[in-house]
Amino acid sequence: MRLGLFGGTFNPIHLGHLRAGVEVREAFNLDRLLLIPSARPPHKSTDENVAGAKDRLDMVRQAVKGVPYLEASDVELARSGPSYTIETLRYFQNDSGHNSAIYFIVGLDAFSEITTWKSYRQLFATADFIVMTRPGSKLKNLSSFIHTHISKEYQYESASNRYHHPGWYSIFCLNITHLDISATQIRKRIRQGRSIRFLVPDTIDGFIKKKGLYR
Ligand code: ATP
């Protein structure tokens, strides 16, 4: 079983997330790809207008409905306390069989802030990473970032486009189609009374309107 875990605030989920999920699933031949909304994102401040966890999970559920291989996961909502990725990875590590490969999927922008995540070095001793490139990212030199902040022992292998470590898991890189969409931009448009059509699935547009989110 090849399992992809795609964590995020999904505030709200948009076509950038969904297209990324489809491309990663295809490139890594994943059997399942779980989108995991954070219940209590440790890094988001209250002034960012974070919708309730249940609403964000419901939006993820609706967005992936009928999409093969993409699923919504409520593991972080089922847990109390802040939503730390290390706990989510350990949960899936314990839950899946020995023959499973677990890939944690993250955009380059989020990866560049990984040093602020709880027990971040442990993450690389727990699962493979897939780092997706995204427009506007500030992290120019991935090699030096990995060597400075994660481990000097990571070596780049161009054939597989990954950083390999003798004792830890790999960090794979994947170029995905750049859809320059962010949840921040969507929330701003809603506040301004502008359309978000074709930035999110129509069902999500409808859900946001019905619930009056982000106004
Ligand atoms: P915000 O603007 O509120 O920070 P966001 O749009 O970046 O939100 P998140 O839920 O914070 O979305 O991101 C979850 C994950 O999805 C992160 O790893 C992020 O890098 C990735 N991601 C976000 N937007 C895109 C996009 N347009 N294409 C590919 N990946 C994306």
Side-chain angles (χ1 to χ4, degrees):
M1 160 76 87
R2 296 165 66 77
L3 177 64
L5 306 177
F6 188 7
T9 313
F10 300 117
N11 184 40
I13 187 162
H14 53 66
L15 294 183
H17 298 129
L18 291 162
R19 181 66 212 165
V22 167
E23 292 195 15
V24 172
R25 213 282 315 159
E26 230 168 47
F28 283 80
N29 198 19
L30 303 176
D31 299 296
R32 296 172 74 195
L33 193 158
L34 307 186
L35 292 103
I36 311 174
S38 171
R40 285 158 289 275
H43 297 113
K44 303 276 176 183
S45 62
T46 44
D47 51 317
E48 276 185 72
N49 195 359
V50 183
K54 181 69 174 56
D55 281 342
R56 289 182 288 110
L57 174 65
D58 282 348
M59 287 191 275
V60 175
R61 281 194 172 129
Q62 286 191 21
V64 299
K65 208 174 195 168
V67 185
Y69 313 110
L70 298 190
E71 294 169 49
S73 165
D74 67 355
V75 279
E76 295 198 350
L77 272 79
R79 226 166 47 214
S80 57
S83 304
Y84 294 122
T85 298
I86 188 66
E87 289 172 22
T88 302
L89 291 188
R90 287 191 178 136
Y91 169 85
F92 283 103
Q93 199 186 35
N94 293 334
D95 198 50
S96 1
H98 285 301
N99 293 329
S100 292
I102 298 178
Y103 297 88
F104 187 74
I105 300 156
V106 64
L108 190 58
D109 61 328
F111 189 76
S112 71
E113 289 169 8
I114 204 148
T115 56
T116 64
W117 297 17
K118 186 181 174 212
S119 313
Y120 78 92
R121 281 199 179 84
Q122 280 302 308
L123 297 169
F124 300 92
T126 313
D128 283 316
F129 266 65
I130 300 171
V131 180
M132 307 175 290
T133 55
R134 183 185 177 190
S137 174
K138 283 169 268 142
L139 195 58
K140 289 279 180 278
N141 191 335
L142 189 56
S143 294
S144 83
F145 180 83
I146 289 173
H147 291 151
T148 310
H149 297 292
I150 304 172
S151 163
K152 285 192 173 42
E153 291 189 86
Y154 271 108
Q155 291 292 328
Y156 183 67
E157 286 178 2
S158 57
S160 49
N161 196 13
R162 68 166 173 163
Y163 292 84
H164 175 262
H165 191 284
W168 290 353
Y169 287 87
S170 292
I171 303 170
F172 291 88
C173 304
L174 182 70
N175 283 318
I176 55 160
T177 304
H178 291 174
L179 294 182
D180 194 4
I181 304 173
S182 72
T184 303
Q185 170 203 351
I186 289 168
R187 294 193 302 273
K188 188 170 166 203
R189 284 180 159 272
I190 295 168
R191 272 198 313 277
Q192 294 172 338
R194 295 159 74 199
S195 167
I196 58 164
R197 192 132 198 231
F198 305 127
L199 296 174
V200 298
D202 284 346
T203 50
I204 304 308
D205 194 358
F207 184 97
I208 291 171
K209 283 201 182 91
K210 197 175 88 197
K211 291 256 175 172
L213 301 177
Y214 309 120
R215 287 220 210 103

